[in-house]
Amino acid sequence: MLKEYRICMPMTVEEYHIGQLYMIARHSSEQSDGGEGVEVIENKAYTDPIQGSGQFTEKRIHLSGEGLELLSIYRNRQCSVIPRFAIKIRTRYENNNGSSENCLDINEEELKQRTVEHVDILADPVDEKHYKKEEDPSVFKSKKTGRGPLTEGWRDYSDIIMCSYKLVDVSFQVFGLQTRIEDFAQRAIRNILLIGHRQAFAWIDEWYGMTIEDVRDYECGMQKETNEKIRSAQQSAGIVDTETNTQKTDDNKEDNEEEDLDSSENKKTLKKKDSTSSLGTNSSSSISPDKTGYLSSWFKWSS
């Protein structure tokens, strides 16, 4: 299932790069509770031969509730071969209001499969349990920038606006369950994008003026705090062995972790790999120079 989400923000691409990093770090910490959340294994500077300089992150997703229920579907169907559930996300940023029809330069076959959805941080409804008045774009006004509150039609008349184009490809190859699971994943991703981008704008006074070094330091501190929160909760609940949660430093770390993951149906720790990069002056000529930013991420789960 292939969907392209276009999320406009009342800021420039350069500002968004800082705001997004701040939002992800803070949001991940706030959402990590009771042993559930995103644990950062590695986060370092990275140079891609095609996309240029960027950041490489390796993460584990600790699931409970609906996430584990999805995995139990595999087992209840007693499949002889456990399928892989994969999500691929490609992203570009541009200083426009979502008007680029093929910002990600996808091929004709993907264009035919693609469904485009505009995610409006102002107009799209938010689940009551996630709603906070101070994060409502129709109410919030930035003291530092003077931006906001947003009003109807803001994407058409805003002087400062950028768009994050995200092409989300969800694959779950199980007959009878494919459409249901892929649709569930797409709706969950869309909801995360909506809430996260509302927060990035509502928190602008906290990150506005930060340098990339500032936000990386903040990110590092929040990641340590989040990892400790997850580990402490899981150890208290007796669901994680301390030794299995120790970061490995040998060259075979990744292979060992994947082997451990596939061999145990009882583990509640899943792994997410996220390789990201944004275009710079050293980007490959194979990427159109008028593209402001590019990221590519793979998310893979196996039971």
Side-chain angles (χ1 to χ4, degrees), residues 12 31 42 106 142 147 157 175 188 209-210 301:
T12 66
Q31 296 301 311
E42 188 173 12
I106 62 178
S142 168
R147 300 171 201 172
Y157 63 73
F175 180 76
M210 277 187 171
W301 287 262

Side-chain angles (χ1 to χ4, degrees), residues 29-177:
S29 179
E30 291 185 353
Q31 296 301 311
S32 298
D33 189 28
E36 180 178 1
V38 179
E39 177 186 4
V40 178
I41 306 302
E42 188 173 12
N43 185 12
K44 64 182 181 180
Y46 161 83
T47 300
D48 183 89
I50 296 177
Q51 308 302 340
S53 60
Q55 196 79 4
F56 172 84
T57 61
E58 179 182 341
K59 304 175 182 179
R60 285 195 188 102
I61 300 178
H62 300 268
L63 296 177
S64 65
E66 289 181 334
L68 290 178
E69 288 174 13
L70 288 180
L71 295 181
S72 70
I73 292 175
Y74 296 152
R75 301 170 189 133
N76 292 338
R77 289 180 63 88
Q78 298 178 344
C79 297
S80 58
V81 178
I82 301 300
R84 277 198 175 271
F85 173 41
I87 300 175
K88 182 180 180 182
I89 300 178
R90 283 169 278 176
T91 304
R92 282 194 193 275
Y93 310 130
E94 288 189 344
N95 284 311
N96 58 43
N97 66 351
S99 56
S100 294
E101 286 309 310
N102 191 10
C103 173
L104 290 141
D105 295 326
I106 62 178
N107 59 44
E108 288 298 323
E109 182 178 351
E110 289 179 313
L111 283 172
K112 293 178 181 178
Q113 298 174 6
R114 178 194 69 173
T115 301
V116 176
E117 290 190 20
H118 290 270
V119 179
D120 191 333
I121 63 172
L122 172 67
D124 287 1
V126 175
D127 192 285
E128 185 178 349
K129 66 181 179 180
H130 295 301
Y131 177 81
K132 295 180 181 179
K133 186 176 181 179
E134 63 270 22
E135 296 175 359
D136 188 337
S138 69
V139 176
F140 171 75
K141 181 176 179 63
S142 168
K143 295 179 181 178
K144 288 186 177 180
T145 68
R147 300 171 201 172
L150 300 183
T151 57
E152 184 179 357
W154 71 274
R155 291 182 300 177
D156 296 324
Y157 63 73
S158 292
D159 294 329
I160 301 176
I161 190 169
M162 59 80 60
C163 183
S164 174
Y165 295 81
K166 290 186 176 290
L167 187 69
V168 181
D169 188 357
V170 178
S171 176
F172 184 80
Q173 302 298 325
V174 179
F175 180 76
L177 290 173

Side-chain angles (χ1 to χ4, degrees), residues 276-296:
T276 65
S277 61
S278 54
L279 288 181
T281 56
N282 61 339
S283 300
S284 167
S285 59
S286 64
I287 302 296
S288 178
D290 63 340
K291 304 302 181 186
T292 308
Y294 182 89
L295 297 94
S296 181

